[in-house]
Amino acid sequence: LLGAYFGAKLLFILQHNIELSFNTEADWLYFFSNGGSAYGGILLGLFFSRVGAYIHKIEYEPYIEKTIYLLPLCHGIWKIGYTPF
């Protein structure tokens, strides 16, 4: 989950060409208060789940085969939640 969260935030910063130094409290507040990119969250979340499976010596493929259908479902729920009115 942390990989997905930080992946979404980092890709958002890269997409919008935002320069943050993280030396001030304002930069940290800006990082945590603004939006994220779904694709960054998916990519880094999958990468970190693979790394976590490797570290803990868990077979990765059976879990991914059974849960990969949740990605579009979660993405759709996320888009509904962030729809501006």
Side-chain angles (χ1 to χ4, degrees):
L1 290 173
L2 286 175
Y5 180 76
F6 284 110
K9 293 292 188 177
L10 292 175
L11 190 59
F12 177 79
I13 288 172
L14 291 174
Q15 286 175 337
H16 296 290
N17 199 17
I18 300 170
E19 293 184 23
L20 297 174
S21 63
F22 294 108
N23 291 332
T24 64
E25 185 178 336
D27 286 342
W28 284 101
L29 289 174
Y30 183 80
F31 179 75
F32 286 113
S33 66
N34 281 336
S37 171
Y39 299 112
I42 290 170
L43 291 175
L44 207 59
L46 286 174
F47 174 74
F48 277 135
S49 67
R50 177 73 176 194
V51 170
Y54 177 76
I55 290 171
H56 294 289
K57 295 175 179 52
I58 299 171
E59 289 187 42
Y60 182 72
E61 287 77 20
Y63 289 105
I64 287 298
E65 288 176 2
K66 293 178 182 174
T67 60
I68 198 73
Y69 69 90
L70 291 173
L71 279 177
L73 177 67
C74 293
H75 181 71
I77 291 171
W78 183 15
K79 287 296 184 181
I80 291 170
Y82 283 119
T83 302
F85 294 105

